[in-house]
Amino acid sequence: MKEFLVELTTTVPKGTDPAEVDRRRAAEAARAKELSSEGHLVRLWRPVGELRSIGVWRAEDETDLRERVLGTLPLWPWMTAVVTAVQPHPNDPGDPGAADRTV
């Protein structure tokens, strides 16, 4: 699987019932756990003081990521996504095999 750096911003439509927002957020947490156990969601962060997330995700390609992975998130209809395909850097201190690869 390929890795992607994904920035997700959620904008709840005005007038949405707060109970619907709570329901979707709870479902979102459950789906994130499932995607993590399936190997699709690797890491997820929230910038301090912001209502967006930045994460490392895995999928076969960007289409698969958007349709079969991110598209299954309950909040997806309210999200915008910036997707960047990434690959290991030869100087990555967290990747023991990185030094054996070329740039």
Side-chain angles (χ1 to χ4, degrees):
M1 281 197 280
K2 296 177 181 174
E3 290 190 324
F4 300 87
L5 183 65
V6 179
E7 180 181 330
L8 297 169
T9 303
T10 304
T11 305
V12 177
K14 289 183 181 183
T16 303
D17 183 345
E20 175 66 11
V21 176
D22 291 344
R23 184 191 69 73
R24 285 188 187 226
R25 284 193 174 138
E28 184 88 3
R31 184 64 182 136
K33 280 187 179 185
E34 292 170 355
L35 291 169
S36 177
S37 70
E38 294 169 6
H40 294 292
L41 176 54
V42 180
R43 296 293 309 264
L44 194 61
W45 300 273
R46 173 166 284 151
V48 175
E50 297 185 31
L51 294 177
R52 65 185 174 101
S53 61
I54 300 169
V56 175
W57 297 76
R58 291 185 181 136
E60 294 302 318
D61 55 34
E62 186 172 340
T63 299
D64 182 53
L65 175 71
R66 288 181 180 274
E67 293 177 3
R68 196 175 66 82
V69 180
L70 298 174
T72 67
L73 294 169
L75 293 172
W76 181 247
W78 300 342
M79 290 179 168
T80 57
V82 177
V83 176
T84 304
V86 294
Q87 64 186 16
H89 190 283
N91 298 330
D92 180 359
D95 184 355
D100 298 330
R101 290 188 293 273
T102 59
V103 176

